[in-house]
Amino acid sequence: MEAISFYHKVVILSLFQGLSESDLENIFGTFKFSFRRYRKGTVLADEGMSCQELMLLTDGEIQTERSSEKHSYKVVETFRAPCMLQPERLYGIAHFYTSRITALTDVNAISIDKNELQRLFDTHLIVKLNYLNTLSAKLQNAEKKSWLSAPQQLTDRIRRFVKAHTESPTGRKEVHIKMEQLARELNDSRLNTSIALHKLETAGLIELRRGGFAIPQMEHFLSEEAT
């Protein structure tokens, strides 16, 4: 990989924003990073797997799959590079991944061991602040979701359910859930839930399928009215 191409790919990662090319040359020449290429279909991490390194996606597209506590439903999201893979799981009381992460295309990733990352934080304050900003944004978004007013319309409650169980407000989502289970989650009847889902489908916001539904564009799903 040419140096200039590598720089442009790495500098847009949130962890390295604000650093110059010479700063990055120093970092990658001083600290130990692992450079990996995963083939399409490879599982990069799985639910319950120990998280002992920070993984950064620089090329390609991945899919995350997260299940409910009793595995009664699951939500699938798609992410494109550049992104960090569950950075909040590296510290705290639960050092394990909560999602299955699978390569949808061939992907390139950079990873750094937790101990080596700590050394990097100690010598490059801006990297540490970038990491803390990422964690703060995740925490603030999660807190904001928990304080939203309860919607009156069932279609809006479905939107809120999906929003509460996804990380990104954009891109494609898949919700694998039986109609009866979704009705229980929404505290409504199966019939009313079915009617609301068909209303969203008629508006072009979701695609109904056996055992759940897909959302082609999350941003449209959250903003457009189901008429």
Side-chain angles (χ1 to χ4, degrees):
M1 183 183 296
E2 296 181 358
I4 187 67
S5 175
F6 176 74
Y7 169 73
H8 285 307
K9 289 178 180 180
V10 170
V11 76
I12 56 178
L13 286 162
S14 59
L15 188 67
F16 300 121
Q17 287 182 359
L19 295 174
S20 66
E21 185 172 355
S22 61
D23 290 330
L24 287 172
E25 288 178 354
N26 175 264
I27 287 173
F28 281 92
T30 304
F31 298 90
K32 296 178 182 178
F33 290 84
S34 296
F35 298 85
R36 299 168 182 166
R37 182 170 179 80
Y38 298 94
R39 294 297 183 185
K40 177 181 178 180
T42 302
V43 176
L44 282 66
D46 209 347
E47 179 184 358
M49 188 176 107
S50 178
C51 180
Q52 297 299 324
E53 61 182 15
L54 180 64
M55 195 179 306
L56 312 167
L57 190 71
T58 58
D59 294 280
E61 192 171 352
I62 60 168
Q63 171 184 285
T64 65
E65 178 183 312
R66 185 164 185 177
S67 300
S68 62
E69 181 183 13
K70 297 181 179 179
H71 290 83
S72 55
Y73 61 88
K74 65 181 179 180
V75 175
V76 177
E77 295 188 71
T78 301
F79 295 90
R80 292 179 179 176
C83 63
M84 285 193 279
L85 308 185
Q86 293 205 291
E88 71 279 4
R89 290 290 153 182
L90 196 57
Y91 295 97
I93 60 174
H95 304 158
F96 54 85
Y97 291 98
T98 57
S99 300
R100 165 171 282 204
I101 303 173
T102 307
L104 285 181
T105 64
D106 289 351
V107 302
N108 291 322
I110 302 170
S111 63
I112 180 169
D113 178 82
K114 184 175 181 179
N115 293 328
E116 196 72 0
L117 181 64
Q118 185 62 56
R119 288 184 57 233
L120 178 58
F121 288 161
D122 291 341
T123 56
H124 291 76
L125 179 60
I126 190 170
V127 178
K128 184 175 184 178
L129 291 176
N130 286 338
Y131 184 81
L132 291 176
N133 283 335
T134 298
L135 298 186
S136 293
K138 285 179 172 286
L139 178 61
Q140 290 164 11
N141 288 334
E143 183 183 42
K144 182 179 179 181
K145 289 178 182 180
S146 67
W147 285 96
L148 293 174
S149 300
Q152 297 300 312
Q153 298 295 324
L154 186 51
T155 51
D156 290 332
R157 300 213 306 272
I158 293 173
R159 295 179 207 257
R160 181 176 179 179
F161 174 83
V162 176
K163 186 176 182 179
H165 291 86
T166 51
E167 183 176 347
S168 170
T170 63
R172 180 178 178 82
K173 318 291 178 187
E174 295 179 9
V175 181
H176 298 262
I177 188 170
K178 292 181 179 180
M179 191 77 71
E180 295 83 357
Q181 182 63 38
L182 181 58
R184 283 194 291 270
E185 296 291 333
L186 299 172
N187 194 29
D188 213 310
S189 69
R190 185 190 186 285
L191 176 59
N192 287 342
T193 302
S194 177
I195 292 172
L197 286 173
H198 280 89
K199 190 175 182 180
L200 289 168
E201 183 180 46
T202 300
L205 302 177
I206 68 172
E207 299 169 354
L208 286 175
R209 55 182 59 179
R210 186 182 181 91
F213 57 94
I215 303 168
Q217 294 292 332
M218 183 68 166
E219 50 271 43
H220 294 161
F221 174 75
L222 294 177
S223 63
E224 298 293 330
E225 292 295 330
T227 56

